[in-house]
Amino acid sequence: MTPAKPLPAYLAQRYHGWRATTFQDSMQWYRRLAEEGQRPRAMVISCCDSRVHVTSIFGAEQGEFFIHRNIANLVPPYQPDGNQHGTSAAVEYAVQALKVAHVIVLGHSRCGGVQGCYDMCSGDAPELEEPTSFVGRWMDILRPRFEELPQGERPDRLQAFEQAAVVTSLENLMSFPFVASRVEAGELSLHGLWTDIAEGSLLAYDPAGSAFKPV
Amino acid sequence: MTPAKPLPAYLAQRYHGWRATTFQDSMQWYRRLAEEGQRPRAMVISCCDSRVHVTSIFGAEQGEFFIHRNIANLVPPYQPDGNQHGTSAAVEYAVQALKVAHVIVLGHSRCGGVQGCYDMCSGDAPELEEPTSFVGRWMDILRPRFEELPQGERPDRLQAFEQAAVVTSLENLMSFPFVASRVEAGELSLHGLWTDIAEGSLLAYDPAGSAFKPV
Amino acid sequence: MTPAKPLPAYLAQRYHGWRATTFQDSMQWYRRLAEEGQRPRAMVISCCDSRVHVTSIFGAEQGEFFIHRNIANLVPPYQPDGNQHGTSAAVEYAVQALKVAHVIVLGHSRCGGVQGCYDMCSGDAPELEEPTSFVGRWMDILRPRFEELPQGERPDRLQAFEQAAVVTSLENLMSFPFVASRVEAGELSLHGLWTDIAEGSLLAYDPAGSAFKPV
Amino acid sequence: MTPAKPLPAYLAQRYHGWRATTFQDSMQWYRRLAEEGQRPRAMVISCCDSRVHVTSIFGAEQGEFFIHRNIANLVPPYQPDGNQHGTSAAVEYAVQALKVAHVIVLGHSRCGGVQGCYDMCSGDAPELEEPTSFVGRWMDILRPRFEELPQGERPDRLQAFEQAAVVTSLENLMSFPFVASRVEAGELSLHGLWTDIAEGSLLAYDPAGSAFKPV
């Protein structure tokens, strides 16, 4: 038998508070969203990290963003091999079924996944090299970028690696035929962002200069 | 060259509003979270659906929840085959690296992924049967449950299927050795929830009666 | 010999109920808090009054708030004279050792300590003037504010006095060098609140207009 | 001007949730408590530590406990010298004005204040020896007990020191004439408790054997 436990009491209490206020205030809208279906304008791909709240940063309400969150906001390349690809499924659903107008990839500072990849590429994290390491194999998506990092101090190189993860995801998104064709038809635009958790800053990728610049 | 575009102006504007208000009010805390690292109490696995806001429902702030979002809040079984498993990587990172105390799987009403799987299993969505359908292959995780659905009207069966997705994820979580060992050691607890978007209700899975009951 | 008595049975019974339910549900988290240490985001200074439950009002769980409670939620001015200052010790520990991001002073309606001070200042409570009155001497912290109270009915003046106690504490907090320097560095923010017990309302101090306004 | 800031938004949101649920459900009782005044059965003296929730452990509702919280749950000896003694004021108000039937001192494991005192007494925390250290001077209340600690490992000695803090407070309470007279008249009883945060255990002081035993 699945050993599920009751919800901790403090979460149950907070839920009842939400239902009596936020939900009550917006009930009609939530009902319409339920009955007519969602119609999000954008898909956001961000990290699982508890310090990244994309809905807070963008003041987004229920119904606005279709959000996929995984380790290090990575999109793998297009691989239609019949295996399970959760991220690719999310991209497919957002673009093909929901016809979102934007796909936004949001990276961030102090990313544990990117740091693990950096250590792995530096030979300092042999446990992540194991075939059985899910985190290690997932971060393989970013691995080829390690050679391209600029020289410098570790914090600067980590930040460059985090931003490289965003660019990698953008490039891999373009390897999906249904993404590329919509982008070329002007029906979909891609956006790369990186936020500094401590500073609250937000940079956007500018392909012209291959650089991240303040929004 | 990656065809990234500037951020839509309305989002840039909202970001600047967030930075001038919410971020200013909590800057010190965000800096500490950045410097000392996150210590989330729980991992939440929920759907990408734009109508599900787990942080809102639970009044959760930056730092509280490590959140993975994918299509239909599914966890695949443990498969340490060296391939890329984004969901398994997120679970591994939350449990092994962050040592969260709770993993909460949150399902919801009107789930497009579950509905697609239902149609596929009913023979009404041949396109999802294609090997190249990422959504179809992803929803294969839930497929075996179709046979177990109770007789009845389509809406009731869909709801039962959505709740079966939560239970499937809980069961698959237990197939991960590092999850099972921590659950058995009393260091980790699993929780299954399902929310009705239109009603704002919240049900929790009770393994005793294999039923979902109001929180 | 210290004449300690066994715990009243009804409290022992409730404790066992808590341990079998709330504690069981959250045991893992409490263990981590014990092993890794607390990291509260905020210090709250509130009154001992049995009708003020700051954790309930804010849905706060173990680990969120470092709470000091004394008569009338008062902070004395900075006096590093080598004597025992319990409130100053609590502030020092919260700010210097725990590096909290917020200090919240929470006042409330019908405060017995403030009422005693009001009567003392009005000449109606000579017993509080005695050097041996601990409550009287403690309320001396608020005494200078009596002259500034607006004219009006006693209940309105008492409420103004309660709110003046909050402002006094905020001002006295700023007399601590380690508070002032962190506030000026943007590493700590101060907040003044006042709650009406009967109405369940919550007002916040706005220094711009020197007024308390609904949250 | 006092630099008070607005309340962080997540706390404002949770407050509104509390007001719409818990407060609404109990409004009449809160109004009576406001109009007729509090009538708490017990005073509890516990630590500011964010991991100690006395109301949760004892399932206590608004109105039940008059709660003073300071560093290490210490009560200083009776010193009617006309200076400000916040803890003594709280004890005086609880016993003289509110006529509580019980005073409960609640100590706990992993107490940072007690640990600081231990290091100070061991010569490992010279900064706490400074006259300007509020924490150091406050912990002087416990200092004389250091010599009486049993030999052994540091964790065992720290636990003994935490429990000695409870006994010290009980003894100092008896130095207050208005406490001693009420205890001797059978109108007030004192209770010493110590809780292990990680285990959720609760021990009560038994003066007969000078030992703490499970409740």
Side-chain angles (χ1 to χ4, degrees):
Chain A
M1 194 169 71
T2 311
K5 288 277 181 64
L7 195 62
Y10 81 105
L11 292 178
Q13 189 177 341
R14 288 194 197 161
Y15 154 70
H16 287 295
W18 167 83
R19 191 172 195 283
T21 53
T22 305
F23 178 76
Q24 283 301 320
D25 293 345
S26 302
M27 193 164 49
Q28 293 82 349
W29 177 240
Y30 295 166
R31 283 199 178 141
R32 273 198 63 192
L33 282 176
E35 283 160 20
E36 301 178 6
Q38 60 178 326
R39 197 168 64 179
R41 180 164 170 182
M43 175 188 199
V44 178
I45 298 169
S46 80
C47 186
C48 301
D49 193 299
S50 65
R51 299 167 296 183
V52 179
H53 270 204
V54 67
T55 50
S56 176
I57 291 177
F58 291 120
E61 256 290 277
Q62 258 86 334
E64 290 198 62
F65 290 155
F66 184 82
I67 301 177
H68 174 59
R69 294 179 69 166
N70 64 31
I71 299 287
N73 37 270
L74 288 172
V75 177
Y78 181 67
Q79 288 172 282
D81 55 12
N83 290 328
Q84 281 156 7
H85 297 286
T87 297
S88 303
V91 171
E92 182 183 275
Y93 193 84
V95 173
Q96 298 280 66
L98 297 174
K99 299 190 185 353
V100 295
H102 309 282
V103 176
I104 298 170
V105 179
L106 173 64
H108 70 99
S109 63
R110 317 265 176 158
C111 181
V114 168
Q115 189 175 317
C117 186
Y118 185 92
D119 291 340
M120 177 172 72
C121 295
S122 306
D124 296 333
E127 71 284 5
L128 290 175
E129 302 276 11
E130 300 291 332
T132 53
S133 167
F134 291 116
V135 172
R137 298 300 56 71
W138 179 249
M139 295 308 303
D140 281 346
I141 297 171
L142 179 60
R143 195 160 191 162
R145 293 281 180 167
F146 183 72
E147 297 305 323
E148 305 167 12
L149 290 180
Q151 295 304 310
E153 298 295 314
R154 180 181 159 93
D156 294 335
R157 283 163 63 84
L158 280 173
Q159 180 172 321
F161 214 21
E162 287 157 1
Q163 296 180 348
V166 174
V167 177
T168 297
S169 290
L170 292 173
E171 287 177 0
N172 287 345
L173 278 167
M174 287 299 285
S175 72
F176 288 72
F178 51 81
V179 170
S181 66
R182 294 184 78 88
V183 167
E184 280 149 23
E187 294 165 354
L188 174 66
S189 64
L190 308 184
H191 309 269
L193 300 174
W194 177 88
T195 181
D196 185 311
I197 291 170
E199 299 303 320
S201 56
L202 185 67
L203 309 184
Y205 179 62
D206 177 0
S210 294
F212 281 76
K213 297 175 181 167
V215 164
Chain B
M1 192 169 70
T2 312
K5 288 282 180 61
L7 194 63
Y10 81 105
L11 292 179
Q13 194 172 343
R14 288 195 199 162
Y15 155 69
H16 287 295
W18 168 82
R19 192 170 195 285
T21 54
T22 304
F23 178 76
Q24 281 301 321
D25 291 347
S26 299
M27 190 167 48
Q28 309 87 331
W29 180 242
Y30 297 165
R31 281 194 184 145
R32 278 200 65 191
L33 283 177
E35 283 160 21
E36 301 182 5
Q38 59 178 328
R39 193 167 70 175
R41 179 165 170 177
M43 176 190 198
V44 178
I45 298 169
S46 80
C47 186
C48 300
D49 193 299
S50 64
R51 299 166 295 183
V52 179
H53 271 205
V54 67
T55 50
S56 177
I57 291 177
F58 291 120
E61 252 292 270
Q62 258 85 335
E64 288 198 62
F65 291 155
F66 183 82
I67 303 178
H68 174 59
R69 295 179 69 167
N70 64 29
I71 299 287
N73 37 272
L74 287 173
V75 177
Y78 180 68
Q79 288 172 280
D81 54 13
N83 290 327
Q84 280 155 8
H85 297 285
T87 296
S88 303
V91 171
E92 182 183 275
Y93 192 83
V95 173
Q96 299 278 68
L98 297 174
K99 298 190 184 355
V100 295
H102 309 282
V103 176
I104 299 171
V105 178
L106 173 64
H108 69 99
S109 64
R110 317 266 178 157
C111 181
V114 169
Q115 189 175 317
C117 184
Y118 185 92
D119 291 342
M120 178 172 71
C121 296
S122 307
D124 296 334
E127 72 283 7
L128 290 175
E129 302 276 11
E130 299 292 332
T132 55
S133 167
F134 293 114
V135 172
R137 299 298 60 70
W138 180 249
M139 296 307 305
D140 281 346
I141 298 169
L142 179 59
R143 196 159 191 161
R145 293 281 181 166
F146 183 73
E147 296 306 322
E148 304 167 12
L149 290 179
Q151 296 304 310
E153 297 297 314
R154 178 182 160 92
D156 293 336
R157 284 164 61 84
L158 280 174
Q159 181 172 320
F161 214 22
E162 288 156 0
Q163 296 180 349
V166 173
V167 177
T168 297
S169 290
L170 292 174
E171 289 177 358
N172 287 345
L173 278 168
M174 287 298 285
S175 71
F176 288 73
F178 52 81
V179 171
S181 66
R182 292 184 80 88
V183 167
E184 279 149 24
E187 294 166 354
L188 174 68
S189 64
L190 308 183
H191 310 267
L193 301 174
W194 176 89
T195 180
D196 184 311
I197 291 169
E199 300 303 320
S201 56
L202 185 67
L203 310 184
Y205 179 62
D206 177 2
S210 293
F212 281 76
K213 297 175 182 169
V215 164
Chain C
M1 192 169 71
T2 311
K5 287 281 180 62
L7 195 62
Y10 80 104
L11 293 179
Q13 193 171 342
R14 288 195 198 163
Y15 155 70
H16 287 295
W18 170 81
R19 192 170 196 284
T21 54
T22 305
F23 178 77
Q24 281 301 320
D25 291 347
S26 300
M27 189 167 49
Q28 309 87 333
W29 180 243
Y30 297 165
R31 282 195 182 145
R32 277 200 65 191
L33 283 178
E35 283 160 21
E36 302 182 5
Q38 58 178 328
R39 192 167 68 176
R41 178 165 171 177
M43 175 188 200
V44 178
I45 298 169
S46 79
C47 187
C48 302
D49 192 298
S50 65
R51 298 166 296 182
V52 179
H53 271 205
V54 67
T55 51
S56 176
I57 291 178
F58 291 121
E61 253 291 269
Q62 258 86 333
E64 290 198 62
F65 292 154
F66 183 82
I67 303 177
H68 173 60
R69 295 178 69 165
N70 64 30
I71 299 288
N73 37 271
L74 287 174
V75 177
Y78 180 67
Q79 288 172 281
D81 54 12
N83 289 328
Q84 280 156 9
H85 296 286
T87 296
S88 303
V91 171
E92 181 183 277
Y93 193 82
V95 173
Q96 298 279 66
L98 296 175
K99 297 188 184 359
V100 295
H102 311 281
V103 176
I104 299 170
V105 178
L106 173 64
H108 69 100
S109 63
R110 318 264 175 156
C111 181
V114 170
Q115 190 176 316
C117 186
Y118 185 92
D119 292 342
M120 178 172 69
C121 296
S122 307
D124 296 334
E127 72 283 7
L128 291 175
E129 303 275 10
E130 300 291 333
T132 54
S133 167
F134 292 115
V135 171
R137 299 298 59 71
W138 180 248
M139 294 308 303
D140 281 346
I141 298 171
L142 179 61
R143 196 159 191 163
R145 293 278 181 170
F146 183 72
E147 297 304 323
E148 305 166 12
L149 289 180
Q151 296 304 311
E153 298 296 316
R154 180 182 158 92
D156 293 336
R157 284 164 62 85
L158 279 173
Q159 181 172 320
F161 214 22
E162 287 157 1
Q163 296 180 349
V166 173
V167 177
T168 297
S169 290
L170 293 174
E171 289 176 359
N172 286 344
L173 278 168
M174 286 299 285
S175 71
F176 288 72
F178 52 81
V179 170
S181 66
R182 293 183 79 89
V183 167
E184 279 149 25
E187 294 165 356
L188 174 67
S189 64
L190 308 184
H191 310 266
L193 301 174
W194 177 88
T195 181
D196 184 304
I197 291 170
E199 299 303 321
S201 56
L202 185 67
L203 309 184
Y205 178 62
D206 178 2
S210 294
F212 281 75
K213 297 175 181 167
V215 165
Chain D
M1 193 169 70
T2 311
K5 290 279 181 65
L7 195 63
Y10 79 104
L11 292 178
Q13 191 177 339
R14 288 192 197 161
Y15 154 69
H16 288 295
W18 168 83
R19 192 173 194 283
T21 52
T22 305
F23 177 77
Q24 283 300 322
D25 292 347
S26 302
M27 195 164 44
Q28 293 82 351
W29 177 240
Y30 296 166
R31 284 199 179 143
R32 274 197 63 192
L33 283 177
E35 284 160 19
E36 301 180 6
Q38 60 177 327
R39 198 167 65 179
R41 180 164 170 182
M43 176 189 200
V44 178
I45 298 169
S46 80
C47 186
C48 301
D49 193 300
S50 66
R51 299 166 296 183
V52 179
H53 271 204
V54 67
T55 51
S56 176
I57 291 177
F58 290 121
E61 258 289 277
Q62 258 87 334
E64 290 197 63
F65 290 155
F66 184 80
I67 302 177
H68 174 58
R69 295 178 69 165
N70 63 31
I71 300 286
N73 37 271
L74 288 173
V75 177
Y78 180 67
Q79 290 173 279
D81 54 13
N83 290 327
Q84 281 156 7
H85 296 286
T87 297
S88 302
V91 171
E92 181 183 276
Y93 193 84
V95 173
Q96 298 280 67
L98 297 174
K99 300 192 183 349
V100 295
H102 310 281
V103 176
I104 299 170
V105 178
L106 173 63
H108 69 99
S109 63
R110 317 263 177 159
C111 181
V114 170
Q115 188 175 317
C117 186
Y118 185 92
D119 292 340
M120 178 172 71
C121 296
S122 307
D124 296 333
E127 71 282 7
L128 291 175
E129 302 275 10
E130 300 291 332
T132 54
S133 168
F134 292 115
V135 171
R137 298 299 59 70
W138 180 249
M139 295 308 304
D140 282 346
I141 299 171
L142 179 60
R143 196 160 189 161
R145 292 282 180 168
F146 183 72
E147 296 306 323
E148 304 167 12
L149 290 179
Q151 296 303 311
E153 298 295 315
R154 179 181 160 94
D156 293 336
R157 283 163 62 85
L158 280 173
Q159 181 171 321
F161 213 22
E162 288 157 0
Q163 296 180 349
V166 174
V167 177
T168 297
S169 291
L170 293 173
E171 289 176 359
N172 287 343
L173 278 167
M174 287 298 285
S175 71
F176 288 72
F178 51 82
V179 171
S181 67
R182 294 184 78 88
V183 167
E184 280 148 24
E187 294 165 355
L188 173 66
S189 64
L190 307 184
H191 310 268
L193 300 174
W194 177 88
T195 180
D196 184 305
I197 291 170
E199 299 304 320
S201 55
L202 186 67
L203 309 184
Y205 179 62
D206 177 2
S210 294
F212 282 76
K213 297 175 182 168
V215 164

